[in-house]
Every structure is written in structure tokens, then in C-alpha cells.
Amino acid sequence: MTQEIIKVEGMSCMHCQLRVKKAVEAVKGVQRADVNLQTKQVTVDYEEGKVNPEKIKEAIRETGYEPI
């Protein structure tokens, strides 16, 4: 299991937080995603052989937010 912390621009409310969480957790290979609205960060636990950080960032972009 690998953990990645990704900063995300554009989140401003609980709806944003939930939207990003659902999108990241829907990526095959992601085990868990914790989205912190105050720090604007997503902590993701994932299986390294099944998914990479770029795929996770792509899922965030598709929700309308920008991973840094």
C-alpha cells in the first residue's frame, strides 16, 4: 500500500469535499481517500501496481478541481 498527499485548488465547501472523495475512491486500486477541506489536501491510500498518482489527479481534474 502506498500513500500520496495531493494538494487541490478550488474546494470551498462540503459538497466539493465529498465530490473529490467520491471521484478518487472510484479509481480502481484506490483503497481510501481522506479529503481535508481546511488544508485543501487529499490523502490517498492506493495499490501501487494498479494505479498511479497521475490517474488519481486525472480523476480530481474531471470533477472540476485542480490538483497541484
Side-chain angles (χ1 to χ4, degrees):
M1 194 67 60
T2 303
Q3 188 173 80
E4 182 87 14
I5 297 174
I6 302 169
K7 296 272 282 173
V8 179
E9 285 189 356
M11 294 189 302
S12 60
C13 64
M14 291 294 289
H15 176 74
C16 302
Q17 182 179 10
L18 290 173
R19 191 169 173 192
V20 170
K21 180 177 175 70
K22 284 177 105 176
V24 171
E25 288 183 339
V27 175
K28 189 172 183 151
V30 170
Q31 297 299 310
R32 184 176 63 91
D34 288 322
V35 181
N36 187 317
L37 190 56
Q38 291 179 334
T39 62
K40 308 241 188 281
Q41 293 182 332
V42 181
T43 303
V44 185
D45 293 332
Y46 64 96
E47 296 177 52
E48 196 169 356
K50 293 186 177 182
V51 69
N52 61 47
E54 196 51 46
K55 272 280 206 206
I56 297 166
K57 290 177 181 179
E58 185 179 312
I60 294 169
R61 279 188 203 98
E62 288 176 3
T63 63
Y65 304 99
E66 187 58 40
I68 306 173

